[in-house]
Amino acid sequence: MYKALFFDIDGTLVSFTTHAVPESTLQAIHQARLNGVKVFICTGRPLQFINNLQGVEYDGMVCATGSLCLDDEGNTIFQKSIAKEDVERLLTLLSTNPIPFLAISKQHIYGFNTHQPVVSEVMASLNVQLPTLLPIEETTHDDILQLIGFFTAEEETRMMNEILPHCVAARWHPSFSDVISSGVGKDAGIDHIIRHYGIDLSETVGIGDGGNDIPMLRHAALGIAMDNASDVVKSHANYITTHVDDNGIYNALRHFHII
């Protein structure tokens, strides 16, 4: 019997077309919780970017790709920041190389060269309005949970090996990559949540559509990919449900008799 559902947000809970949660998804989650199943958000979005879960009932959250895990009252279960030396190397790089970057702590968002069109395009696709950003140089005084770097997949290997060696990249968009501390991810986030709630891994379901969902799909007892996921993501899932805009969550939970 499955006791815990872990949902990605963008392309899984939330439609990229409407930027809203389908009504069938809200109904499915409500029924699952009535049936005694716990529901958790498991997203690459930092806490400050989670603005699109209106009406969704949930019992906790894995955010910033596993760097921050919260219980149902918003209390921190787990938190891991990026190594200070990696942040310092990044600041040195940015002093001569204008790569757009966001650096995010639990409370603050720092930015560098974020007026570039690529940043505006990505934020618009996520329906996120960036707040006034603090200068990225001030990150040395904070615990940074996640970096969002607007570099290409081709540039990623050098960036991670030379500048951010204590981090891993979790890319789910061609224009940017989420960067988090090594040992962190959606799979590890699941472990922190279920340990807190006394749930066994064999009782978990992970549902997603992006590249950063692959660790979750492989780690959960049952990995479900949305039909709008890429073929690579689908290859790591146990089951493919329908598109996010075609009642994908509802159909999956019905298929496995969770509702």
PDB file of all heavy atoms in Angstrom, residues 64-96:
ATOM      1  N   ALA A  64      13.780  23.537  -3.528  1.00  0.00           N
ATOM      2  CA  ALA A  64      15.163  23.828  -3.931  1.00  0.00           C
ATOM      3  C   ALA A  64      15.908  22.538  -4.248  1.00  0.00           C
ATOM      4  O   ALA A  64      17.053  22.341  -3.867  1.00  0.00           O
ATOM      5  CB  ALA A  64      15.886  24.645  -2.873  1.00  0.00           C
ATOM      6  N   THR A  65      15.225  21.630  -4.964  1.00  0.00           N
ATOM      7  CA  THR A  65      15.789  20.348  -5.399  1.00  0.00           C
ATOM      8  C   THR A  65      16.377  19.550  -4.239  1.00  0.00           C
ATOM      9  O   THR A  65      17.421  18.905  -4.361  1.00  0.00           O
ATOM     10  CB  THR A  65      16.850  20.561  -6.504  1.00  0.00           C
ATOM     11  OG1 THR A  65      16.417  21.601  -7.395  1.00  0.00           O
ATOM     12  CG2 THR A  65      17.042  19.291  -7.328  1.00  0.00           C
ATOM     13  N   GLY A  66      15.716  19.605  -3.097  1.00  0.00           N
ATOM     14  CA  GLY A  66      16.121  18.797  -1.945  1.00  0.00           C
ATOM     15  C   GLY A  66      16.993  19.510  -0.942  1.00  0.00           C
ATOM     16  O   GLY A  66      17.318  18.937   0.101  1.00  0.00           O
ATOM     17  N   SER A  67      17.363  20.761  -1.215  1.00  0.00           N
ATOM     18  CA  SER A  67      18.218  21.494  -0.278  1.00  0.00           C
ATOM     19  C   SER A  67      17.475  21.927   0.981  1.00  0.00           C
ATOM     20  O   SER A  67      18.097  22.221   2.009  1.00  0.00           O
ATOM     21  CB  SER A  67      18.805  22.737  -0.957  1.00  0.00           C
ATOM     22  OG  SER A  67      19.621  22.373  -2.033  1.00  0.00           O
ATOM     23  N   LEU A  68      16.141  21.970   0.899  1.00  0.00           N
ATOM     24  CA  LEU A  68      15.322  22.389   2.033  1.00  0.00           C
ATOM     25  C   LEU A  68      14.083  21.504   2.099  1.00  0.00           C
ATOM     26  O   LEU A  68      13.344  21.394   1.122  1.00  0.00           O
ATOM     27  CB  LEU A  68      14.910  23.856   1.883  1.00  0.00           C
ATOM     28  CG  LEU A  68      14.049  24.450   3.000  1.00  0.00           C
ATOM     29  CD1 LEU A  68      14.819  24.487   4.317  1.00  0.00           C
ATOM     30  CD2 LEU A  68      13.586  25.853   2.615  1.00  0.00           C
ATOM     31  N   CYS A  69      13.869  20.875   3.247  1.00  0.00           N
ATOM     32  CA  CYS A  69      12.697  20.024   3.455  1.00  0.00           C
ATOM     33  C   CYS A  69      11.914  20.555   4.646  1.00  0.00           C
ATOM     34  O   CYS A  69      12.490  20.809   5.708  1.00  0.00           O
ATOM     35  CB  CYS A  69      13.105  18.578   3.713  1.00  0.00           C
ATOM     36  SG  CYS A  69      14.071  17.829   2.377  1.00  0.00           S
ATOM     37  N   LEU A  70      10.598  20.703   4.468  1.00  0.00           N
ATOM     38  CA  LEU A  70       9.738  21.306   5.478  1.00  0.00           C
ATOM     39  C   LEU A  70       8.589  20.376   5.827  1.00  0.00           C
ATOM     40  O   LEU A  70       8.103  19.621   4.971  1.00  0.00           O
ATOM     41  CB  LEU A  70       9.160  22.630   4.962  1.00  0.00           C
ATOM     42  CG  LEU A  70      10.163  23.661   4.436  1.00  0.00           C
ATOM     43  CD1 LEU A  70       9.423  24.827   3.790  1.00  0.00           C
ATOM     44  CD2 LEU A  70      11.066  24.157   5.553  1.00  0.00           C
ATOM     45  N   ASP A  71       8.127  20.453   7.082  1.00  0.00           N
ATOM     46  CA  ASP A  71       6.950  19.672   7.470  1.00  0.00           C
ATOM     47  C   ASP A  71       5.682  20.448   7.153  1.00  0.00           C
ATOM     48  O   ASP A  71       5.723  21.521   6.513  1.00  0.00           O
ATOM     49  CB  ASP A  71       7.038  19.269   8.943  1.00  0.00           C
ATOM     50  CG  ASP A  71       6.930  20.445   9.915  1.00  0.00           C
ATOM     51  OD1 ASP A  71       6.571  21.564   9.490  1.00  0.00           O
ATOM     52  OD2 ASP A  71       7.214  20.240  11.116  1.00  0.00           O
ATOM     53  N   ASP A  72       4.532  19.940   7.604  1.00  0.00           N
ATOM     54  CA  ASP A  72       3.252  20.546   7.252  1.00  0.00           C
ATOM     55  C   ASP A  72       3.024  21.897   7.907  1.00  0.00           C
ATOM     56  O   ASP A  72       2.120  22.640   7.517  1.00  0.00           O
ATOM     57  CB  ASP A  72       2.097  19.600   7.586  1.00  0.00           C
ATOM     58  CG  ASP A  72       2.084  19.165   9.041  1.00  0.00           C
ATOM     59  OD1 ASP A  72       3.103  19.358   9.740  1.00  0.00           O
ATOM     60  OD2 ASP A  72       1.061  18.638   9.488  1.00  0.00           O
ATOM     61  N   GLU A  73       3.837  22.253   8.893  1.00  0.00           N
ATOM     62  CA  GLU A  73       3.722  23.556   9.525  1.00  0.00           C
ATOM     63  C   GLU A  73       4.832  24.520   9.088  1.00  0.00           C
ATOM     64  O   GLU A  73       4.960  25.610   9.623  1.00  0.00           O
ATOM     65  CB  GLU A  73       3.743  23.396  11.052  1.00  0.00           C
ATOM     66  CG  GLU A  73       2.541  22.610  11.584  1.00  0.00           C
ATOM     67  CD  GLU A  73       2.550  22.492  13.089  1.00  0.00           C
ATOM     68  OE1 GLU A  73       3.583  22.830  13.723  1.00  0.00           O
ATOM     69  OE2 GLU A  73       1.517  22.052  13.644  1.00  0.00           O
ATOM     70  N   GLY A  74       5.622  24.095   8.124  1.00  0.00           N
ATOM     71  CA  GLY A  74       6.689  24.930   7.617  1.00  0.00           C
ATOM     72  C   GLY A  74       7.973  24.872   8.413  1.00  0.00           C
ATOM     73  O   GLY A  74       8.891  25.671   8.180  1.00  0.00           O
ATOM     74  N   ASN A  75       8.052  23.942   9.347  1.00  0.00           N
ATOM     75  CA  ASN A  75       9.281  23.786  10.127  1.00  0.00           C
ATOM     76  C   ASN A  75      10.333  23.031   9.311  1.00  0.00           C
ATOM     77  O   ASN A  75      10.007  22.115   8.556  1.00  0.00           O
ATOM     78  CB  ASN A  75       8.993  23.012  11.416  1.00  0.00           C
ATOM     79  CG  ASN A  75       7.989  23.716  12.298  1.00  0.00           C
ATOM     80  OD1 ASN A  75       8.111  24.908  12.573  1.00  0.00           O
ATOM     81  ND2 ASN A  75       6.961  22.988  12.731  1.00  0.00           N
ATOM     82  N   THR A  76      11.584  23.399   9.486  1.00  0.00           N
ATOM     83  CA  THR A  76      12.654  22.794   8.719  1.00  0.00           C
ATOM     84  C   THR A  76      12.976  21.392   9.235  1.00  0.00           C
ATOM     85  O   THR A  76      13.299  21.208  10.413  1.00  0.00           O
ATOM     86  CB  THR A  76      13.920  23.669   8.775  1.00  0.00           C
ATOM     87  OG1 THR A  76      13.623  24.950   8.206  1.00  0.00           O
ATOM     88  CG2 THR A  76      15.063  23.027   8.004  1.00  0.00           C
ATOM     89  N   ILE A  77      12.883  20.402   8.351  1.00  0.00           N
ATOM     90  CA  ILE A  77      13.287  19.035   8.642  1.00  0.00           C
ATOM     91  C   ILE A  77      14.753  18.840   8.272  1.00  0.00           C
ATOM     92  O   ILE A  77      15.504  18.170   8.974  1.00  0.00           O
ATOM     93  CB  ILE A  77      12.412  18.040   7.864  1.00  0.00           C
ATOM     94  CG1 ILE A  77      10.957  18.118   8.334  1.00  0.00           C
ATOM     95  CG2 ILE A  77      12.938  16.613   7.988  1.00  0.00           C
ATOM     96  CD1 ILE A  77       9.995  17.310   7.479  1.00  0.00           C
ATOM     97  N   PHE A  78      15.147  19.440   7.153  1.00  0.00           N
ATOM     98  CA  PHE A  78      16.512  19.293   6.647  1.00  0.00           C
ATOM     99  C   PHE A  78      16.880  20.526   5.842  1.00  0.00           C
ATOM    100  O   PHE A  78      16.037  21.100   5.154  1.00  0.00           O
ATOM    101  CB  PHE A  78      16.625  18.052   5.754  1.00  0.00           C
ATOM    102  CG  PHE A  78      17.932  17.934   5.030  1.00  0.00           C
ATOM    103  CD1 PHE A  78      19.054  17.419   5.667  1.00  0.00           C
ATOM    104  CD2 PHE A  78      18.051  18.351   3.707  1.00  0.00           C
ATOM    105  CE1 PHE A  78      20.272  17.318   4.989  1.00  0.00           C
ATOM    106  CE2 PHE A  78      19.253  18.254   3.030  1.00  0.00           C
ATOM    107  CZ  PHE A  78      20.365  17.740   3.681  1.00  0.00           C
ATOM    108  N   GLN A  79      18.144  20.904   5.937  1.00  0.00           N
ATOM    109  CA  GLN A  79      18.647  22.032   5.157  1.00  0.00           C
ATOM    110  C   GLN A  79      20.138  21.828   4.922  1.00  0.00           C
ATOM    111  O   GLN A  79      20.876  21.446   5.832  1.00  0.00           O
ATOM    112  CB  GLN A  79      18.407  23.352   5.905  1.00  0.00           C
ATOM    113  CG  GLN A  79      18.966  24.590   5.219  1.00  0.00           C
ATOM    114  CD  GLN A  79      18.596  25.864   5.964  1.00  0.00           C
ATOM    115  OE1 GLN A  79      17.496  25.973   6.517  1.00  0.00           O
ATOM    116  NE2 GLN A  79      19.503  26.819   5.989  1.00  0.00           N
ATOM    117  N   LYS A  80      20.584  22.034   3.690  1.00  0.00           N
ATOM    118  CA  LYS A  80      22.015  21.939   3.394  1.00  0.00           C
ATOM    119  C   LYS A  80      22.404  23.038   2.422  1.00  0.00           C
ATOM    120  O   LYS A  80      21.828  23.158   1.336  1.00  0.00           O
ATOM    121  CB  LYS A  80      22.389  20.576   2.820  1.00  0.00           C
ATOM    122  CG  LYS A  80      23.897  20.412   2.631  1.00  0.00           C
ATOM    123  CD  LYS A  80      24.271  19.016   2.159  1.00  0.00           C
ATOM    124  CE  LYS A  80      25.788  18.879   2.044  1.00  0.00           C
ATOM    125  NZ  LYS A  80      26.177  17.531   1.538  1.00  0.00           N
ATOM    126  N   SER A  81      23.382  23.829   2.803  1.00  0.00           N
ATOM    127  CA  SER A  81      23.810  24.952   1.976  1.00  0.00           C
ATOM    128  C   SER A  81      25.026  24.585   1.139  1.00  0.00           C
ATOM    129  O   SER A  81      25.720  23.587   1.391  1.00  0.00           O
ATOM    130  CB  SER A  81      24.110  26.172   2.850  1.00  0.00           C
ATOM    131  OG  SER A  81      25.094  25.859   3.821  1.00  0.00           O
ATOM    132  N   ILE A  82      25.288  25.394   0.157  1.00  0.00           N
ATOM    133  CA  ILE A  82      26.427  25.204  -0.742  1.00  0.00           C
ATOM    134  C   ILE A  82      27.704  25.638  -0.040  1.00  0.00           C
ATOM    135  O   ILE A  82      27.714  26.616   0.717  1.00  0.00           O
ATOM    136  CB  ILE A  82      26.195  26.004  -2.037  1.00  0.00           C
ATOM    137  CG1 ILE A  82      25.036  25.363  -2.817  1.00  0.00           C
ATOM    138  CG2 ILE A  82      27.453  26.090  -2.886  1.00  0.00           C
ATOM    139  CD1 ILE A  82      24.579  26.157  -4.011  1.00  0.00           C
ATOM    140  N   ALA A  83      28.791  24.912  -0.295  1.00  0.00           N
ATOM    141  CA  ALA A  83      30.071  25.201   0.347  1.00  0.00           C
ATOM    142  C   ALA A  83      30.509  26.636   0.088  1.00  0.00           C
ATOM    143  O   ALA A  83      30.425  27.135  -1.042  1.00  0.00           O
ATOM    144  CB  ALA A  83      31.138  24.233  -0.164  1.00  0.00           C
ATOM    145  N   LYS A  84      30.979  27.301   1.134  1.00  0.00           N
ATOM    146  CA  LYS A  84      31.387  28.703   1.034  1.00  0.00           C
ATOM    147  C   LYS A  84      32.480  28.885  -0.016  1.00  0.00           C
ATOM    148  O   LYS A  84      32.514  29.891  -0.734  1.00  0.00           O
ATOM    149  CB  LYS A  84      31.872  29.203   2.389  1.00  0.00           C
ATOM    150  CG  LYS A  84      30.805  29.267   3.470  1.00  0.00           C
ATOM    151  CD  LYS A  84      29.805  30.376   3.221  1.00  0.00           C
ATOM    152  CE  LYS A  84      28.838  30.517   4.408  1.00  0.00           C
ATOM    153  NZ  LYS A  84      27.820  31.562   4.168  1.00  0.00           N
ATOM    154  N   GLU A  85      33.408  27.921  -0.101  1.00  0.00           N
ATOM    155  CA  GLU A  85      34.496  28.078  -1.063  1.00  0.00           C
ATOM    156  C   GLU A  85      34.003  28.031  -2.502  1.00  0.00           C
ATOM    157  O   GLU A  85      34.562  28.688  -3.388  1.00  0.00           O
ATOM    158  CB  GLU A  85      35.585  27.026  -0.837  1.00  0.00           C
ATOM    159  CG  GLU A  85      35.111  25.590  -0.859  1.00  0.00           C
ATOM    160  CD  GLU A  85      34.839  25.023   0.513  1.00  0.00           C
ATOM    161  OE1 GLU A  85      34.252  25.747   1.351  1.00  0.00           O
ATOM    162  OE2 GLU A  85      35.234  23.863   0.752  1.00  0.00           O
ATOM    163  N   ASP A  86      32.925  27.271  -2.742  1.00  0.00           N
ATOM    164  CA  ASP A  86      32.336  27.252  -4.084  1.00  0.00           C
ATOM    165  C   ASP A  86      31.691  28.598  -4.397  1.00  0.00           C
ATOM    166  O   ASP A  86      31.809  29.108  -5.526  1.00  0.00           O
ATOM    167  CB  ASP A  86      31.310  26.137  -4.190  1.00  0.00           C
ATOM    168  CG  ASP A  86      31.935  24.761  -4.344  1.00  0.00           C
ATOM    169  OD1 ASP A  86      33.130  24.622  -4.001  1.00  0.00           O
ATOM    170  OD2 ASP A  86      31.248  23.831  -4.788  1.00  0.00           O
ATOM    171  N   VAL A  87      31.001  29.159  -3.435  1.00  0.00           N
ATOM    172  CA  VAL A  87      30.383  30.483  -3.632  1.00  0.00           C
ATOM    173  C   VAL A  87      31.458  31.524  -3.907  1.00  0.00           C
ATOM    174  O   VAL A  87      31.309  32.375  -4.795  1.00  0.00           O
ATOM    175  CB  VAL A  87      29.542  30.873  -2.403  1.00  0.00           C
ATOM    176  CG1 VAL A  87      29.012  32.293  -2.555  1.00  0.00           C
ATOM    177  CG2 VAL A  87      28.373  29.893  -2.214  1.00  0.00           C
ATOM    178  N   GLU A  88      32.555  31.453  -3.192  1.00  0.00           N
ATOM    179  CA  GLU A  88      33.640  32.428  -3.397  1.00  0.00           C
ATOM    180  C   GLU A  88      34.267  32.282  -4.776  1.00  0.00           C
ATOM    181  O   GLU A  88      34.584  33.276  -5.436  1.00  0.00           O
ATOM    182  CB  GLU A  88      34.685  32.255  -2.300  1.00  0.00           C
ATOM    183  CG  GLU A  88      34.181  32.691  -0.922  1.00  0.00           C
ATOM    184  CD  GLU A  88      35.113  32.285   0.203  1.00  0.00           C
ATOM    185  OE1 GLU A  88      36.158  31.657  -0.086  1.00  0.00           O
ATOM    186  OE2 GLU A  88      34.781  32.584   1.371  1.00  0.00           O
ATOM    187  N   ARG A  89      34.450  31.036  -5.244  1.00  0.00           N
ATOM    188  CA  ARG A  89      34.975  30.832  -6.600  1.00  0.00           C
ATOM    189  C   ARG A  89      34.015  31.380  -7.641  1.00  0.00           C
ATOM    190  O   ARG A  89      34.430  31.967  -8.651  1.00  0.00           O
ATOM    191  CB  ARG A  89      35.236  29.337  -6.854  1.00  0.00           C
ATOM    192  CG  ARG A  89      36.640  28.881  -6.511  1.00  0.00           C
ATOM    193  CD  ARG A  89      36.899  27.471  -7.020  1.00  0.00           C
ATOM    194  NE  ARG A  89      36.022  26.522  -6.368  1.00  0.00           N
ATOM    195  CZ  ARG A  89      36.326  25.893  -5.228  1.00  0.00           C
ATOM    196  NH1 ARG A  89      37.478  26.131  -4.640  1.00  0.00           N
ATOM    197  NH2 ARG A  89      35.475  25.047  -4.677  1.00  0.00           N
ATOM    198  N   LEU A  90      32.706  31.194  -7.409  1.00  0.00           N
ATOM    199  CA  LEU A  90      31.722  31.722  -8.348  1.00  0.00           C
ATOM    200  C   LEU A  90      31.794  33.248  -8.407  1.00  0.00           C
ATOM    201  O   LEU A  90      31.760  33.839  -9.495  1.00  0.00           O
ATOM    202  CB  LEU A  90      30.318  31.275  -7.948  1.00  0.00           C
ATOM    203  CG  LEU A  90      29.180  31.833  -8.804  1.00  0.00           C
ATOM    204  CD1 LEU A  90      29.308  31.360 -10.251  1.00  0.00           C
ATOM    205  CD2 LEU A  90      27.827  31.440  -8.229  1.00  0.00           C
ATOM    206  N   LEU A  91      31.918  33.888  -7.267  1.00  0.00           N
ATOM    207  CA  LEU A  91      32.001  35.355  -7.250  1.00  0.00           C
ATOM    208  C   LEU A  91      33.238  35.839  -8.002  1.00  0.00           C
ATOM    209  O   LEU A  91      33.183  36.849  -8.713  1.00  0.00           O
ATOM    210  CB  LEU A  91      32.018  35.862  -5.811  1.00  0.00           C
ATOM    211  CG  LEU A  91      30.737  35.619  -5.004  1.00  0.00           C
ATOM    212  CD1 LEU A  91      30.906  36.148  -3.581  1.00  0.00           C
ATOM    213  CD2 LEU A  91      29.531  36.260  -5.672  1.00  0.00           C
ATOM    214  N   THR A  92      34.328  35.125  -7.866  1.00  0.00           N
ATOM    215  CA  THR A  92      35.538  35.481  -8.604  1.00  0.00           C
ATOM    216  C   THR A  92      35.314  35.352 -10.109  1.00  0.00           C
ATOM    217  O   THR A  92      35.702  36.222 -10.898  1.00  0.00           O
ATOM    218  CB  THR A  92      36.716  34.587  -8.171  1.00  0.00           C
ATOM    219  OG1 THR A  92      36.956  34.771  -6.780  1.00  0.00           O
ATOM    220  CG2 THR A  92      37.976  34.929  -8.945  1.00  0.00           C
ATOM    221  N   LEU A  93      34.659  34.266 -10.517  1.00  0.00           N
ATOM    222  CA  LEU A  93      34.353  34.083 -11.935  1.00  0.00           C
ATOM    223  C   LEU A  93      33.468  35.204 -12.465  1.00  0.00           C
ATOM    224  O   LEU A  93      33.723  35.767 -13.543  1.00  0.00           O
ATOM    225  CB  LEU A  93      33.667  32.729 -12.143  1.00  0.00           C
ATOM    226  CG  LEU A  93      33.126  32.476 -13.560  1.00  0.00           C
ATOM    227  CD1 LEU A  93      34.275  32.253 -14.536  1.00  0.00           C
ATOM    228  CD2 LEU A  93      32.176  31.290 -13.581  1.00  0.00           C
ATOM    229  N   LEU A  94      32.443  35.550 -11.711  1.00  0.00           N
ATOM    230  CA  LEU A  94      31.484  36.548 -12.179  1.00  0.00           C
ATOM    231  C   LEU A  94      32.085  37.942 -12.251  1.00  0.00           C
ATOM    232  O   LEU A  94      31.555  38.809 -12.955  1.00  0.00           O
ATOM    233  CB  LEU A  94      30.248  36.546 -11.277  1.00  0.00           C
ATOM    234  CG  LEU A  94      29.421  35.251 -11.262  1.00  0.00           C
ATOM    235  CD1 LEU A  94      28.189  35.418 -10.388  1.00  0.00           C
ATOM    236  CD2 LEU A  94      29.032  34.808 -12.666  1.00  0.00           C
ATOM    237  N   SER A  95      33.181  38.168 -11.553  1.00  0.00           N
ATOM    238  CA  SER A  95      33.829  39.485 -11.619  1.00  0.00           C
ATOM    239  C   SER A  95      34.391  39.766 -13.009  1.00  0.00           C
ATOM    240  O   SER A  95      34.633  40.928 -13.364  1.00  0.00           O
ATOM    241  CB  SER A  95      34.935  39.579 -10.571  1.00  0.00           C
ATOM    242  OG  SER A  95      36.004  38.701 -10.880  1.00  0.00           O
ATOM    243  N   THR A  96      34.598  38.716 -13.812  1.00  0.00           N
ATOM    244  CA  THR A  96      35.133  38.899 -15.167  1.00  0.00           C
ATOM    245  C   THR A  96      34.265  38.255 -16.240  1.00  0.00           C
ATOM    246  O   THR A  96      34.544  38.406 -17.429  1.00  0.00           O
ATOM    247  CB  THR A  96      36.549  38.282 -15.265  1.00  0.00           C
ATOM    248  OG1 THR A  96      36.495  36.897 -14.931  1.00  0.00           O
ATOM    249  CG2 THR A  96      37.510  39.009 -14.324  1.00  0.00           C
TER     250      THR A  96
END
